[in-house]
Amino acid sequence: MTTKSISLTSELHAYLVAHGTPPDEIMRDLAEETRAVLPDNAQMQVAPEQAAFLSFLTRLLGVRQAVEVGTFTGLSSLAIARGLPEDGRLTCFDISEEFTGIARRYWARAGVDDRIELRIGPAGDTLRELPHERHLDFAFIDADKTGYPVYWAELVPRMRPGGIIAVDNVLRDGRVIAPQNADDRAIAAFNDEVLADVRVEAVMLPVADGLTLARVH
């Protein structure tokens, strides 16, 4: 098959974002503060259309128990939490008190802080504190790229049958085809690992920097 996805110019990307549910004032303020306070790290935020997709997907799946690995300043966690019912729960794993301090303020402003638990520490360790039974409906991985296999190994056995794991940055700006650094090589190897994992069925989507959705059997 030779059919390929359309390449997005800046103008076409702006059109795409403008024709989906737009970010509200809280999300815009969070994105703007992140760019102003952390200009060297702001690219770690999910794209606006990706945030909208996370809220949409969480609602669509009827998610009640969710996990996020890699929270940064909270845009993706805010999007996921907004898709949860009032008694839904999102557990966030991150290593930075500084970055997640911003996230906490915006969770509170959006009125979803009661749905979110933040655990600070290396996620390879803190994920092991989760119950071992298959209870998670949804997980989002967007942290250090070399750690993806560890997070995957901890999460897949804890997903309920039919649960979804979403994994960000699986295209590495196109460099998975010709890796240029350790992170690129780690993601290329991880993508092959997901493809070979008989416990899941997966699809890789050209959303933002590449998003894999894996449904656990």
Side-chain angles (χ1 to χ4, degrees):
M1 297 178 65
T2 58
T3 302
K4 64 178 183 179
S5 299
I6 189 171
S7 296
L8 291 181
T9 62
S10 297
E11 293 79 7
L12 192 55
H13 178 259
Y15 181 90
L16 179 151
V17 172
H19 285 78
T21 300
D24 66 0
E25 181 181 10
I26 296 174
M27 285 194 159
R28 291 195 304 270
D29 287 351
L30 172 53
E32 290 171 6
E33 179 174 342
T34 301
R35 286 192 294 268
V37 176
L38 301 165
D40 294 334
N41 302 103
Q43 77 283 354
M44 292 166 59
Q45 288 190 119
V46 296
E49 70 273 21
Q50 194 171 5
F53 180 71
L54 287 170
S55 293
F56 182 91
L57 183 63
T58 304
R59 291 191 186 98
L60 182 67
L61 296 171
V63 173
R64 304 183 72 84
Q65 294 289 335
V67 160
E68 176 183 73
V69 183
T71 295
F72 189 42
T73 58
L75 187 57
S76 55
S77 52
L78 176 56
I80 294 168
R82 282 179 158 176
L84 297 173
E86 289 188 6
D87 61 347
R89 293 294 178 265
L90 169 63
T91 306
C92 294
F93 297 86
D94 203 279
I95 59 172
S96 174
E97 293 278 10
E98 176 191 3
F99 295 162
T100 56
I102 297 173
R104 286 181 186 275
R105 287 195 284 105
Y106 282 90
W107 296 339
R109 180 176 164 188
V112 297
D113 51 328
D114 60 337
R115 305 176 195 177
I116 302 175
E117 177 189 356
L118 175 63
R119 301 189 186 185
I120 298 293
D125 298 327
T126 50
L127 279 169
R128 297 188 181 102
E129 299 171 1
L130 290 171
H132 288 279
E133 62 264 22
R134 302 183 67 177
H135 67 290
L136 296 175
D137 303 307
F138 182 75
F140 181 53
I141 301 175
D142 184 18
D144 58 298
K145 308 314 167 192
T146 56
Y148 276 24
V150 175
Y151 311 144
W152 180 263
E154 293 297 330
L155 287 169
V156 171
R158 292 174 166 87
M159 304 300 299
R160 66 165 177 80
I164 299 292
I165 302 178
V167 187
D168 200 17
N169 301 120
V170 294
L171 294 180
R172 294 292 297 166
D173 207 20
R175 296 191 302 274
V176 285
I177 295 174
Q180 299 176 18
N181 56 42
D183 284 348
D184 297 346
R185 289 188 290 273
I187 291 300
F190 172 77
N191 290 341
D192 290 341
E193 178 183 342
V194 172
L195 182 63
D197 195 327
V198 297
R199 298 171 297 176
V200 305
E201 56 180 317
V203 59
M204 187 181 290
L205 303 174
V207 176
D209 190 28
L211 184 71
T212 288
L213 297 181
R215 180 180 180 274
V216 180
H217 297 308

